[in-house]
Amino acid sequence: MKLGLVIDLDTCVGCHACATACKEWNGASAISGPLADLEPYGADPSGVWFNRVRHYEVGAFPATKTINFPMSCLHCEDAACVTVCPTGASYKRADGIVLVDQDKCMGCNLCAWACPYGARELDEVSGCMKKCTLCVDRVHDERLPEEERQPACVLACPTHARHFGDFDDPQSKVSQLSAARGGFGLLDELGYKPVNRYLPPRAVPVVAMDPAAPAAAPITPLAALSRLMARARDALSR
Amino acid sequence: MNPAFSVLFFTVLSGAGLGALALIALFDIGAAAGVVAVLMPPRLIALAATIAWLLVAAGLCSSALHLANPKNAWRAWSQWRTSWLSREAVVSLAFMPAAAIYVACWWWDAPPAARAALAVVVLLLAWTTLFCTAMIYASLKPIRQWHTRRVPLNFLLLGHASGALVVVAVLRGHGLAASHWALLAMALFVVAAIGKLEYWRYVRSGQRAVTLEQALGVAHGVRPPAAAGTPPSIMAARLLDAGHSRGTFLTREFVNHVAARRRMWVLAMAWGCGFLLPMIWLAVGLALWQGALLACVACAAGLLAERWLFFADARHTVRLYHGERTT
Amino acid sequence: LDKLKSRGAKFVSINPIRTGYSAIADDWIPIRPGTDGLLALAIVHVLLTAGSIDFEFLARYTNAPWLVIQAPGTADDGLFARGADGTPLIWDEGQGRTTAGITAQSQPSLFAQCTLADGRQARSVLALAAERYLDAEYAPEVVADACGVPATTIRRLAREMAQVAFRETIELPIAWTDAWGRKHAKVVGRPVAMYAMRGISAHSNGFQTCRALHLIQMLLGALDGPGNFRARAPYPKPVPPQIRPHNAAARVNTPLARPPLGFPMSPEDLALDADGRALRIDKAYTWEAPLASHGLMHMVIANAAAGDPYPIDTLMLFMANMAWNSSMNTSGTRAMLTAKHDDGSYRIPFIIVADAFASETVAFADLVLPDTTYLERYDAISLLDRPISEPDAAADAIRHPIIEPDRDVRPWQDVLVELAGRLRFPAFTAGDGTRRFADYQDFIVNYERAPGIGFLAGWRGVDGKRSLVGAPNPNQWQAYKDNKAFFAFHLPDAIKWHRYANLGYLEFAKKVGFVGEVEPIVMQIYSEPLQKFRLAGQGLYAGPCPTDPADRARLTKYFDPLPFWYSPLEMQATDGDAYPLHALTQRPMMMYHSWDSQNAWLRQIIADNAMYVNVATAAALGLADGDWAWVTSHAGRLRCRIRTMEGVEPNTVWTWNAIGKQSGAWGLAADAPEATNGFLLNHLIAEHLPGATPAGRRLTNSDPITGQAAWFDLRVRITRCVEGETGIEPTFGTLAALPGAMPPPGVLDWPATPADAEPAQ
Ligand SMILES: Nc1nc2c(c(=O)[nH]1)N[C@H]1C(S)=C(S)[C@@H](COP(=O)(O)OP(=O)(O)OC[C@H]3O[C@@H](n4cnc5c(=O)[nH]c(N)nc54)[C@H](O)[C@@H]3O)O[C@H]1N2
Ligand SMILES: Nc1nc2c(c(=O)[nH]1)N[C@H]1C(S)=C(S)[C@@H](COP(=O)(O)OP(=O)(O)OC[C@H]3O[C@@H](n4cnc5c(=O)[nH]c(N)nc54)[C@H](O)[C@@H]3O)O[C@H]1N2
Ligand code: SF4
Ligand code: SF4
Ligand code: SF4
Ligand code: SF4
Ligand code: SF4
Ligand SMILES: [Mo]
């Protein structure tokens, strides 16, 4: 199994609902919660998030595109964050999920350094490294109705820009979406083989002009008016 | 990367200690093999070795300060199969008692053959430890300034140069000229300086730099639609909003900004204190303990500056996602 | 949006700023603010020129064939020619004469020009409209510069719409019957849809612009069919809905005869007293804002402080942060809240604020009524108010408490119900003079607007088995709770589409009280109520007419019965060279106005705001990313930080709405970024237009037709701050903590749910 997410950059509107839903679910989760917030009402509020949404622009006005870019752990196949971990706290499961065992972590930060994507964040209160769990405590929980056995962020996304599934299964929705839409892994050149795939914006749909469609050739208002009246008569007497 | 002082201290201090002990052990072996003269005088060598051992110990303690959850530190010995940090922990765990016995051998005049045999172990462990420490950084692909063979080379050379300086300082502090050691130290500093220059050349060359456009996948189509018929071009990307108004763990750890002026001063300190002052002192050769102490302190300060730059100049790919154009 | 895109639909965003939804648009049209009406009418021009029109739709479902009297200078000019019973006349091609109304057999003429029985001339609505919009004045090439949209783009948009509407139609095999009894074997959709909100309505030309957009949809016949903008229950309603606003002086112990807000049909419906003075404190339904169906909340404090139209003794504010983000001229408004008469007494003597949080407004209250939060009380989200319906389902919802309040608070709704009972409002008083409703829950379940119709549409009837209409059900709240707090009534296929003329739907809608009569809802290309007000402006109306020339001029100009475009009022009244930039706000998706800043997570995402400026514009102004700058409007200036971006129209600057906070408010630290780096654009937006009328009146900064607040008309200039000038301006000192307020925690973390706990659903 190779569980992971597809993130659709063609539909992500950058609302941060996935980020807050993630914090809500995982903050209360026994696996890595709580996710401490420091100075929550102070001058310099900060906290642990598994999923952050950033916003970029590509190109220059007017040919510019705003890209909303959510990032969480990509559950890399070649996860250096796991191999560098000296304590064995970081591990990759058979289903592909990369996790941190909170009981083993010594808070050395090395895994965070080894992750190219900023997917790991140290919880300064517990002293342990935390990261996206792919909602391991949802996706396999048979007590949940099947349609809810999905990560919190996927369920929260209002534009369905996030999909969860098994990339080992070529028939899965994530595999198919990724294949159909040119899904790519972030910074593939670093060789981490990230499992999560990002879908680039689709090509702009072309409204194919019917050659029979009347061309709006410039004519005088009067000529246009009489043509319009003729057409109206035609249309209504049918 | 945000320079973490505990780590700077650790690498500089233990580097010097490991370098000094490695050199002592090396010459000890050489002497036993009859290749070089016997190290003299034993009491001062013992003192130098002791100081070196203490430097390593201090360094290791300092590195523990870097841990947010030290109660699990013992687990760091478990993952030597994959983790350079774990390997460092394992090797240094072996090194410390071995080196302690070795130092004791010097103090208590153990039979030279036995001491030399132990020296082989100490030498190998010291080198391995130094190498492992360096590889912790050199193995990190997201940081191109670290992910190069020049890093272990620099660590080894600087460890040995500063280690040699420690031995010279002990000898000269006791009124000895220590000219061979000084010559060796000098040579090591020159080579280390060349190594460092090469390192900086490499960093400046921008080889293997990653861009924001790569990080976002602009070439994969994350960009405005290309006009019909034109090949997709790589367009410039920029950060619009980082999605947080104040600091996060990521900005604190990875995103540091060093003013050009400040960097200049630190660089000057690295060269001046870390290389020039020790080398002048080594050349002038005043055998006074005040001078020796000063040279060591200057060197430590200089190498801390060098290590600070090693961190401050390291541009992790996470910075791209926070808006930087390139690593 | 995901579904549309995956089906290959094209998503066009017309917005000066490319964030949020615009970010994922296939086509982004960075229009100049306030010019959408012009763009829309240029599209109309192209559609008419090309003849890409759904004539049948126009003839049946709109007032395009209705005859308009052409009698300049008379009281009937521009009104509809009507039959004896008031039914509008059309010219029937088949019969070759005018008829009152349309039957199944009618052949309405769209381009009629005829002489009425009384000898007056009349022309059909479409004839008037076509003549107007075919004029070169609306040619794309003419409007392109003003809109900032190239003429080729405008033509392309129009042609793409026509292509999709007429050549990519959707047909569903659903039989339905129209209001004239004609049977249709299928439902035809012309899949073009338009959505607009405050980008249009927060400009002072918003009402006419909305009408222009609606006109495009009518010309394309693209309404309430598959792929269209679709009504949601209780809509559609007749235009205007047959609800007149209350317009007589309120009398003690007497309920209003009609709702306080409604839709005036003619000048008689204005809320003016015998001397022509405003009856309402916000001056809604006066000559200055005749169709003010939303009221003019943004004028209440200014009017009250000025004692114009009259002084008040008590100002009661609920769920509105009027001392901050929901007022224009925030600094001035704050001064008004504490302004005094010469004798030292307050101009607004007593202020009651019901709020759930320590907002900026709470600090001005003489009496604070601490409300529960929405997690601690019952609420009804009713079909009678702002519906949550889906196009295919009439829906409503409730909230019910999920946590116990841990402090001395009361649901404001309970307070209101109790007040109404104590004051013996008739609807709240039983026959024996006692209170009729114990509390809000009781009121919601048992109050009936009409027999069988109450606030909640689900599980009605004593047995709880009836939907939409039915006797009150004492167990209704529980029924909602058992159904996850939602109710939805799904419309059968046959009455889902083209509901304005769908007989089955109209019969259903009458039965459940959505409409008053089973009659087709005819869309109004030409608005007769507007023409009546215009006649009043011209002094021709056979009824009340304004006397102030300023009102007369405004009515004459803006109350055009056909959609037209005019420059937004602030733009007309300010010097474009002195204030060359448009300044806008946008709502951040993750924040609800002012009251999410107290949320520990959301404020990590956005705790301050900056003014976004186009990269090239910033360079021309000598501004760099991160600079402090002065932003100046005719009403004042503020200091803030600049951020540059590519995705904004070069003449537009913008910032996030309501992120800036007063220091000490919302339980935040005094040096919270919201107060030290966040700012409100509202300081620069005046509640009055610059200058005064010849008679010395200040006119409201609103749409002259509807009184909708013109938040987005603002014009500014930006100058870089000199070295050392930093920090937000204006600031207002630090609010003291409220009595009994708990000090905020330094760390938020809480015990995790045990692994073996039941999963939350
Ligand atoms: N997250 C969140 N959601 C909310 C609210 C909230 O505070 N936060 N508030 C709710 C309320 S009360 C309301 S009224 C609605 C408002 O909902 P919207 O109307 O969507 O509100 P705004 O974000 O103000 O968006 C106005 C948009 O119009 C654009 N615009 C401005 N001027 C022009 C123009 O002249 N032409 C065009 N084409 N576009 C223009 C702006 O760039 C902006 O993108 O949102 C509701 N939903
Ligand atoms: N510059 C600019 N100004 C604008 C706009 C804009 O786009 N630009 N938009 C305008 C629009 S459309 C709107 S709707 C207004 C919105 O402006 P407001 O109506 O002032 O909106 P909020 O900030 O949501 O303020 C609501 C108040 O209700 C309080 N509150 C929250 N929950 C409860 C509760 O359960 N009970 C009680 N009693 N109080 C509660 C909050 O604490 C807050 O003080 O802003 C307007 N102002
Ligand atoms: S994204 Fe980072 S944390 Fe996640 S598996 Fe890859 S390297 Fe590890
Ligand atoms: S911080 Fe924890 S999980 Fe990460 S490398 Fe160190 S011990 Fe492993
Ligand atoms: S998969 Fe779960 S843990 Fe990962 S980002 Fe989504 S919600 Fe967070
Ligand atoms: S919830 Fe969906 S749309 Fe919103 S930021 Fe996350 S991925 Fe994007
Ligand atoms: S965006 Fe949020 S507040 Fe608005 S309707 Fe959806 S859930 Fe409700
Ligand atoms: Mo609103």
Side-chain angles (χ1 to χ4, degrees), chain C residues 427-563:
Chain C
F428 290 77
T429 309
D432 61 359
T434 58
R435 280 174 61 184
R436 203 173 134 205
F437 303 110
D439 54 18
Y440 175 73
Q441 275 179 276
D442 185 12
F443 172 61
I444 290 296
V445 165
N446 289 312
Y447 177 82
E448 288 174 283
R449 194 195 62 164
I453 295 177
F455 287 102
L456 293 174
W459 300 284
R460 300 194 66 86
V462 257
D463 54 358
K465 294 220 164 85
R466 310 199 41 160
S467 292
L468 303 171
V469 194
N473 166 11
N475 299 316
Q476 201 176 20
W477 286 102
Q478 188 57 45
Y480 271 84
K481 283 193 210 176
D482 295 342
N483 288 279
K484 297 196 173 179
F486 286 93
F487 162 75
F489 177 84
H490 293 268
L491 300 179
D493 278 350
I495 67 169
K496 243 184 226 172
W497 308 101
H498 303 305
R499 282 164 288 182
Y500 40 80
N502 183 318
L503 186 63
Y505 174 78
L506 293 167
E507 283 167 356
F508 158 82
K510 163 116 172 62
K511 211 170 63 196
V512 300
F514 292 165
V515 297
E517 302 300 333
V518 182
E519 279 172 359
I521 293 166
V522 181
M523 290 170 232
Q524 307 283 303
I525 292 175
Y526 184 102
S527 168
E528 189 178 54
L530 286 191
Q531 176 63 13
K532 288 183 179 164
F533 282 99
R534 173 183 252 190
L535 287 170
Q538 294 163 337
L540 297 172
Y541 185 67
C545 293
T547 48
D548 189 327
D551 289 329
R552 301 177 64 157
R554 278 160 60 102
L555 293 171
T556 306
K557 176 165 182 194
Y558 301 121
F559 279 66
D560 196 312
L562 285 174

Side-chain angles (χ1 to χ4, degrees), chain C residues 399-449:
Chain C
R399 297 193 190 98
H400 57 88
I402 58 167
I403 48 175
E404 281 285 312
D406 59 353
R407 55 207 189 286
D408 187 10
V409 292
R410 255 191 103 181
W412 171 241
Q413 288 90 322
D414 282 344
V415 176
L416 284 178
V417 170
E418 181 169 342
L419 271 177
R422 289 189 187 216
L423 291 168
R424 306 197 176 209
F425 286 3
F428 290 77
T429 309
D432 61 359
T434 58
R435 280 174 61 184
R436 203 173 134 205
F437 303 110
D439 54 18
Y440 175 73
Q441 275 179 276
D442 185 12
F443 172 61
I444 290 296
V445 165
N446 289 312
Y447 177 82
E448 288 174 283
R449 194 195 62 164

Side-chain angles (χ1 to χ4, degrees), chain A residues 55-57 83-84 113 116, chain B residues 82-83 214 238 240 316-317 321:
Chain A
H55 314 269
Y56 303 89
E57 292 186 306
T83 51
V84 300
W113 295 2
Chain B
T82 64
S83 163
Q214 278 172 283
R238 60 206 300 277
L240 180 59
H316 195 281
T317 47
Y321 294 105

Side-chain angles (χ1 to χ4, degrees), chain C residues 14-17 31-34 36 197-199 203 584-593 712:
Chain C
I14 298 174
N15 196 319
I17 308 163
I31 194 171
R32 269 190 82 154
D36 299 76
M197 211 173 155
R198 297 179 56 270
H203 288 288
L584 303 175
T585 56
Q586 292 199 102
R587 281 140 178 66
M589 288 196 174
M590 49 283 174
M591 286 281 181
Y592 196 85
H593 297 284
F712 293 170

Side-chain angles (χ1 to χ4, degrees), chain B residues 22-179:
Chain B
L23 287 171
I24 291 171
L26 185 66
F27 286 112
D28 206 6
I29 297 162
V35 181
V36 293
V38 174
L39 290 175
M40 291 295 281
R43 284 294 165 275
L44 288 189
I45 297 298
L47 183 60
T50 309
I51 291 175
W53 190 92
L54 287 172
L55 285 173
V56 182
L60 287 173
C61 290
S62 162
S63 80
L65 291 179
H66 176 63
L67 302 181
N69 192 24
K71 71 172 193 294
N72 277 342
W74 60 273
R75 293 183 184 273
W77 289 301
S78 66
Q79 302 301 311
W80 49 270
R81 279 190 205 82
T82 64
S83 163
W84 285 106
L85 178 48
S86 185
R87 286 173 194 153
E88 182 206 49
V90 170
V91 196
S92 53
L93 180 71
F95 172 83
M96 289 312 279
I101 299 169
Y102 179 64
V103 172
C105 288
W106 277 102
W107 283 118
W108 283 285
D109 298 323
R115 199 185 62 202
L118 200 52
V120 176
V121 176
V122 168
L123 177 67
L124 289 178
L125 287 175
W127 279 350
T128 321
T129 310
L130 260 176
F131 184 70
C132 289
T133 306
M135 282 311 291
I136 295 174
Y137 305 98
S139 68
L140 296 173
K141 289 189 205 162
I143 307 167
R144 70 169 180 93
Q145 289 82 356
W146 289 359
H147 186 53
T148 157
R149 274 170 300 194
R150 293 163 187 82
V151 166
L153 194 74
N154 283 169
F155 270 66
L156 281 162
L157 287 174
L158 281 170
H160 284 82
S162 56
L165 184 73
V166 170
V167 179
V168 177
V170 171
L171 295 176
R172 282 196 184 164
H174 290 79
L176 298 179
S179 45

